[in-house]
């Protein structure tokens, strides 16, 4: 009886061992599949990370270039602001000097008792002379140096139209 009992226990242990081996084999196969899936996900994550790194490098480079451009533009803006400020200061100075000269010239004509000075002040100036003076004043400004009228080969070498000489004359004004 002991031998049948021992053989039954041994048979039970063998069956239990076979079931355990089957369970471990199934567990191993399932884990192997999960490991393969995790490795595939890891590879995808690595590819996504490298793509993000490339994008980050590209965006960083663009940002650095934009920052350099911004600094250059700020420098240019400061130079432009200074140039405009200097120009406005020069314009105000010229305007002030012009007003002062006009006052002085008006006073000379008002105080003068000389007939030549008075007749010269009342003399009318032809339109052609006025247009030449206006053109020379306009061409004297730096920003007009690209104007085709201001080039010496085109502006002063052109003949004066005769009709301008015979137009109505304008009186001088101060």
């Amino acid at each position: 009886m002991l031998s049948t009992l021992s053989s039954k226990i041994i048979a039970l242990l063998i069956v239990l061992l076979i079931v355990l081996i089957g369970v471990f084999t199934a567990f191993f196969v399932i884990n192997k599949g999960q490991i393969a899936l995790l490795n595939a996900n890891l590879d995808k994550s690595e590819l996504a990370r490298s793509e993000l790194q490339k994008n980050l490098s590209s965006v960083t480079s663009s940002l650095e270039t934009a920052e350099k451009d911004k600094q250059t533009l700020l420098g240019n803006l400061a130079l432009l602001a200074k140039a405009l400020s200097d120009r406005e200061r020069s314009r105000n100075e010229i305007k002030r000097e012009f007003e002062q000269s006009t006052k002085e010239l008006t006073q000379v004509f008002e105080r003068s008792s000389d007939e030549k000075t008075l007749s010269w002040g009342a003399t009318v100036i032809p339109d052609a002379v006025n247009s030449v003076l206006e053109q020379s004043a306009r061409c004297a400004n730096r920003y007009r140096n690209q104007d085709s009228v201001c080039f010496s080969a085109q502006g002063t070498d052109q003949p004066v139209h005769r009709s301008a000489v015979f137009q109505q004359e304008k009186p001088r004004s101060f």
Side-chain angles (χ1 to χ4, degrees):
M1 170 159 155
L2 205 48
S3 81
T4 52
L5 187 62
S6 317
S7 64
K8 283 186 180 181
I9 291 177
I10 290 175
L12 185 64
L13 283 175
I14 290 175
V15 170
L16 191 58
L17 189 60
I18 290 173
V19 170
L20 266 171
I21 290 173
V23 169
F24 280 128
T25 303
F27 184 71
F28 179 72
V29 169
I30 291 171
N31 281 341
K32 190 176 180 183
Q34 287 179 347
I35 289 172
L37 183 62
L38 289 174
N39 281 337
N41 287 342
L42 181 65
D43 289 342
K44 287 180 185 177
S45 296
E46 273 300 312
L47 287 174
R49 187 192 64 76
S50 66
E51 187 66 30
L52 287 174
Q53 187 65 38
K54 287 179 188 175
N55 289 343
L56 178 64
S57 298
S58 173
V59 168
T60 302
S61 174
S62 296
L63 185 60
E64 288 172 351
T65 302
E67 187 64 28
K68 287 178 185 175
D69 290 346
K70 183 180 96 175
Q71 294 301 324
T72 301
L73 288 174
L74 286 174
N76 290 343
L77 180 64
L79 288 175
L80 180 61
K82 184 183 181 312
L84 289 175
S85 174
D86 291 346
R87 177 177 168 241
E88 190 62 28
R89 191 175 19 254
S90 295
R91 287 180 68 197
N92 289 337
E93 180 66 23
I94 290 170
K95 185 177 179 181
R96 188 186 58 73
E97 289 175 2
F98 177 74
E99 289 172 355
Q100 181 65 28
S101 297
T102 303
K103 284 180 186 178
E104 291 173 4
L105 190 58
T106 304
Q107 289 174 358
V108 165
F109 282 116
E110 288 175 354
R111 293 180 187 161
S112 176
S113 58
D114 184 26
E115 287 299 319
K116 284 185 179 181
T117 304
L118 293 174
S119 68
W120 182 85
T123 304
V124 292
I125 299 174
D127 283 341
V129 174
N130 279 336
S131 67
V132 168
L133 291 174
E134 287 172 3
Q135 178 183 348
S136 65
R138 190 177 71 241
C139 290
N141 292 325
R142 278 189 227 154
Y143 67 92
R144 295 257 189 202
N145 62 359
Q146 297 299 323
D147 193 347
S148 62
V149 176
C150 297
F151 288 126
S152 62
Q154 296 175 354
T156 57
D157 293 345
Q158 300 290 331
V160 177
H161 301 291
R162 291 194 64 146
S163 61
V165 174
F166 298 110
Q167 290 180 351
Q168 181 182 4
E169 297 177 347
K170 294 180 183 176
R172 288 189 179 137
S173 61
F174 293 105

